[in-house]
Amino acid sequence: MSSPTDRNPIRRRDFLTRLAIGSAGLSGIMALIGSIRLAFPRVFSSGRTHRIGRAVDFPMGVATFVAESESFVLRDRGGIQVLSGTCPHLGCVVRRTDSGFRCPCHGSEFGPTGEHRSGPAPGALKRLAVRFSRDDRLELDLTRTVSRDDPPLSIPPRRK
Amino acid sequence: MSTEHGTGVDQVLKNLRQAFDFARAKIAQWHRGREGDRERSRTVSKSFFLHYHSARVHPYSLRPATTLGLGLLSLFLFAILTVTGILLMLYYVPSIERAYASIKDIMAIVPGGRFVRNIHRWAAHGMVLSVSLHMARVFYTGAYARGRSFNWILGVFLLLLTLFLSFTGYLLPWDQLAYWAVTIGAHIAGSATELTDALGITSLVDPGRWITHLLLGASTVGQDALVRFYLLHIVLLPLLSVILIGLHLWRIRKDGGLSRPEEAERWAPSSSEKGDRTILSWPTALWAEAAVFFLALGAVLLAGYAFDAPLLGIADPTSPENPAKSAWYFLGIQELVSYSAFSGGIVIPVMLAVGLALIPILDREPAGFGRWFSGPRGRRVSTSSALFGSGVVVGLSAVAIMFGWIRDWFPEVHPLIPMALNPGTIMGAFLVAYTGRVLRRSGSTRLAALAYFTGSGVMMLLLTIIGLWFRGPDWEFYWSPSLWPIP
């Protein structure tokens, strides 16, 4: 006749102790994960559009700063393109210079269409998506960037 | 009935008298405590606060030159910051509409508000300085050895907490300095994106964005960021600091008091037949501590009276200051990020911090414990490492300032190359190589640690000086601020 401890390598008391510690630990870890998850916000980035005016509001050949969207509107014969004014290095807002743009924080330089010239910025100024709204206002999508090779938005707006 | 009532009042009066007698007896006990050795050590060990140091201390620990009082200075500045911080919280409102105005109110209307804010600001600067110097003192006297490695690592965390406390306090006034310093800081924290962009995997995994969202609660610095920084600054980081400071002080006792060299035993007279050279901490150690406290208090009171804490114009998200400089203790890092955001803002600082934490694990040499530089050889190695480090920083900075860097010479180069090879990373590589050379030639881990610590300290110091005095508008090099162009 063998005793219960011989048949079971683990005693009931030990099993329950481990179960208690294990479940307490597991719920603690779950609570920790939940608390950490809470600190990460759900950032919705779609639909941040800005209406910045009509095409004729922007002079030809000069980059015009639009303060509320921290961007520059470039209008020339080819059409309109919009550059984000936020330096791709560390997020300072660049300013216009005679030869393009320059970041005051760490000195990155960009050419007249935002191409990277020198300094620590990893690349060119981003180009923001822009289109005409129904009433012919320029509508800027702050969350969508377009490739630098895309053609500029042509003026006047093409209607279907 | 009336007699019972009378007895009740009598009883209360009797109890009151008893409480009064008890308090008087306590005070008398404190006075008596100064008399007998036994009473003195009892007084110390019975008190929660006094018992943070043991009832007896070694006279060597009381020499001003042993510690320079820097750890205590940091502790007292932390206490001053807590008190002034609580006072400022009475009026400060963490909302982007009202924060700036509430600081203006504190500066202009609140009785004593300007004085308290000034003290808070200068004590914060002082604490960064004293914590850094304290770490240097502990390092150069080799006081991280002999079972003290855990306390050293606690100290590294306390240094990081001090820096992070200063940084989070920075945003709260919501002025131009605050806004742009934190914009830059948050982008540095999120600059892993620069690496994932260069590798072309940002759409799959974007740790930079997670960190930015965790820190700012949004993609840009705004109301959510202000709330988070406020929370960190007034609750989370101070609470962590108090816990770690408590552990840090308690470990000093557990590790057998402050470090001291073997000579200290000869240096102090023996007070008993057993060769015990310690003396009672009451009252000598307490007087020394009080002296440091009043020094700290006097210094910040004077500074707060004489100099106003700066407050620039209200935050303008469309136009940074030019130049936009962060606080002086981050200018070394700002100088590094002006070469590459990810390697200068994340890789090098993390490696420096990890290197600091590893020192007591990699170096366990008992020789020279408690002695400055562990003796003349250590002094020589430290001097040459300082000279070498200065040469490297000045040389590489001069090359970058005069001739530009890789992307100016080869504009089409892949972005990973300047990220890996820029003046900052090359300085780090030189430092590691120099440390390795000292280790190989001397065979002493302590000398290698001295070379590493001195070299990295001198590098950060010089980069800070360049950022502080020699950088002007657009982060260009100028010999003096008087040569800055007029905007």
Side-chain angles (χ1 to χ4, degrees):
Chain A
M1 198 56 202
S2 59
S3 72
T5 41
D6 289 333
R7 272 188 288 113
N8 305 316
I10 177 165
R11 284 184 307 172
R12 181 163 59 181
R13 183 177 288 259
D14 290 344
F15 172 73
L16 289 175
T17 309
R18 283 186 206 177
L19 195 68
I21 293 172
S23 52
L26 191 68
S27 28
I29 290 169
M30 296 307 272
L32 189 68
I33 291 174
S35 314
I36 291 172
R37 180 62 191 91
L38 181 141
F40 284 90
R42 289 200 168 123
V43 179
F44 296 105
S45 54
S46 57
R48 271 188 69 204
T49 54
H50 270 283
R51 288 200 176 184
I52 56 173
R54 290 174 306 169
V56 291
D57 296 341
F58 298 96
M60 291 283 259
V62 197
T64 313
F65 184 59
V66 184
E68 54 272 29
S69 59
E70 288 143 36
S71 56
F72 291 91
V73 178
L74 311 179
R75 179 178 165 220
D76 55 23
R77 276 179 219 292
I80 281 188
Q81 42 180 315
V82 181
L83 293 177
S84 162
T86 305
C87 180
H89 179 225
L90 290 174
C92 290
V93 176
V94 300
R95 71 191 151 74
R96 214 174 47 204
T97 60
D98 296 337
S99 60
F101 304 93
R102 185 127 206 228
C103 179
C105 291
H106 302 96
S108 292
E109 279 177 286
F110 305 92
T113 57
E115 67 273 20
H116 179 261
R117 283 262 174 81
S118 73
L125 293 177
K126 293 215 163 57
R127 249 184 80 184
L128 297 174
V130 62
R131 61 174 184 191
F132 281 106
S133 66
R134 282 178 186 285
D135 54 349
D136 289 354
R137 308 282 158 148
L138 287 169
E139 201 171 68
L140 206 58
D141 189 343
L142 291 180
T143 57
R144 239 161 38 81
T145 57
V146 294
S147 160
R148 297 186 51 76
D149 306 324
D150 279 13
L153 184 68
S154 54
I155 323 167
R158 289 195 206 99
R159 289 270 175 247
K160 281 174 190 161
Chain B
M1 186 82 182
S2 65
T3 47
E4 271 172 40
H5 183 72
T7 340
V9 171
D10 285 349
Q11 190 61 43
V12 168
L13 286 176
K14 211 173 120 193
N15 289 351
L16 260 180
R17 205 172 302 126
Q18 225 171 43
F20 182 70
D21 286 345
F22 180 74
R24 218 168 50 176
K26 267 276 167 203
I27 294 167
Q29 200 182 348
W30 272 67
H31 278 281
R32 261 207 321 283
R34 293 216 198 110
E35 281 156 18
D37 277 9
R38 193 186 186 80
E39 279 304 309
R40 282 178 182 175
S41 44
R42 257 170 62 83
T43 315
V44 171
S45 52
K46 270 174 71 182
S47 155
F48 174 75
F49 289 104
L50 293 184
H51 205 27
Y52 259 106
H53 45 66
S54 60
R56 304 184 71 85
V57 291
H58 196 281
Y60 190 83
S61 304
L62 294 175
R63 291 192 330 159
T66 305
T67 62
L68 308 172
L70 290 164
L72 272 179
L73 187 64
S74 313
L75 174 71
F76 292 139
L77 286 173
F78 182 77
I80 291 168
L81 282 162
T82 308
V83 173
T84 49
I86 290 171
L87 289 173
L88 290 172
M89 277 166 64
L90 288 174
Y91 290 96
Y92 176 75
V93 188
S95 115
I96 56 174
E97 282 89 24
R98 293 181 59 193
Y100 185 73
S102 65
I103 299 282
K104 280 266 188 212
D105 281 352
I106 286 169
M107 291 301 272
I109 300 168
V110 174
R114 172 187 293 258
F115 191 41
V116 170
R117 177 168 180 260
N118 292 349
I119 293 172
H120 194 74
R121 174 63 66 99
W122 303 136
H125 285 296
M127 191 174 157
V128 172
L129 196 66
S130 69
V131 168
S132 314
L133 292 176
H134 172 57
M135 172 166 264
R137 192 286 293 173
V138 170
F139 175 80
Y140 283 118
T141 53
Y144 54 82
R146 298 199 189 169
R148 287 167 171 80
S149 51
F150 178 63
N151 217 11
W152 168 269
I153 292 168
L154 284 179
V156 173
F157 278 105
L158 278 167
L159 172 75
L160 297 179
L161 272 177
T162 306
L163 290 173
F164 210 44
L165 266 168
S166 298
F167 179 63
T168 50
Y170 233 70
L171 180 63
L172 304 185
W174 204 251
D175 64 346
Q176 276 288 72
L177 187 70
Y179 185 87
W180 291 104
V182 171
T183 297
I184 293 172
H187 275 86
I188 290 175
S191 65
T193 306
E194 195 181 286
L195 178 69
T196 51
D197 270 346
L199 297 170
I201 55 167
T202 307
S203 53
L204 301 173
V205 54
D206 192 354
R209 215 168 68 110
W210 303 335
I211 297 171
T212 311
H213 283 177
L214 180 63
L215 196 62
L216 301 182
S219 304
T220 51
V221 178
Q223 180 62 61
D224 301 286
L226 185 56
V227 168
R228 280 175 188 229
F229 275 57
Y230 186 61
L231 181 73
L232 284 169
H233 188 72
I234 67 161
V235 181
L236 206 57
L237 299 176
L239 195 65
L240 267 176
S241 303
V242 167
I243 293 170
L244 288 195
I245 289 170
L247 267 174
H248 197 61
L249 295 178
W250 177 73
R251 285 303 310 185
I252 299 174
R253 281 199 57 196
K254 291 288 138 186
D255 294 338
L258 299 181
S259 64
R260 55 183 175 271
E262 315 285 347
E263 304 92 274
E265 302 309 323
R266 267 178 282 122
W267 186 83
S270 175
S271 58
S272 75
E273 305 83 46
K274 282 179 289 175
D276 177 22
R277 288 179 169 81
T278 56
I279 55 168
L280 284 169
S281 44
W282 178 295
T284 332
L286 299 184
W287 280 123
E289 281 156 25
V292 177
F293 174 72
F294 285 111
L295 197 76
L297 190 65
V300 293
L301 286 177
L302 272 179
Y305 185 74
F307 306 104
D308 276 345
L311 184 66
L312 303 184
I314 190 165
D316 176 4
T318 65
S319 122
E321 292 278 299
N322 192 5
K325 292 194 179 186
S326 68
W328 61 266
Y329 38 83
F330 287 129
L331 283 177
I333 290 177
Q334 196 171 352
E335 181 67 18
L336 286 173
V337 297
S338 78
Y339 299 123
S340 158
F342 181 62
S343 60
I346 301 279
V347 176
I348 295 176
V350 166
M351 279 173 67
L352 282 178
V354 171
L356 282 180
L358 284 180
I359 284 176
I361 295 163
L362 299 182
D363 166 40
R364 293 163 180 273
E365 266 170 44
F369 177 71
R371 284 168 65 199
W372 281 89
F373 302 98
S374 303
R377 257 187 101 194
R379 200 179 294 265
R380 271 203 305 280
V381 167
S382 303
T383 313
S384 48
S385 176
L387 288 173
F388 178 79
S390 318
V392 167
V393 172
V394 171
L396 281 166
S397 301
V399 169
I401 287 162
M402 289 195 289
F403 307 112
W405 201 251
I406 298 177
R407 302 253 312 277
D408 303 316
W409 310 327
F410 313 103
E412 297 306 318
V413 78
H414 192 275
L416 274 178
I417 300 203
M419 201 187 294
L421 280 181
N422 62 62
T425 54
I426 295 175
M427 285 172 203
F430 269 116
L431 177 66
V432 171
Y434 190 78
T435 306
R437 183 172 162 271
V438 170
L439 184 63
R440 240 190 358 267
R441 288 179 47 150
S442 69
S444 158
T445 51
R446 171 67 178 152
L447 290 180
L450 279 164
Y452 172 78
F453 189 91
T454 310
S456 52
V458 164
M459 277 183 191
M460 287 319 283
L461 186 70
L462 283 178
L463 288 170
T464 306
I465 288 172
I466 294 175
L468 192 61
W469 282 309
F470 297 104
R471 292 293 185 179
D474 299 335
W475 210 246
E476 294 269 17
F477 181 86
Y478 292 93
W479 283 108
S480 138
S482 61
L483 301 172
W484 290 6
I486 296 150

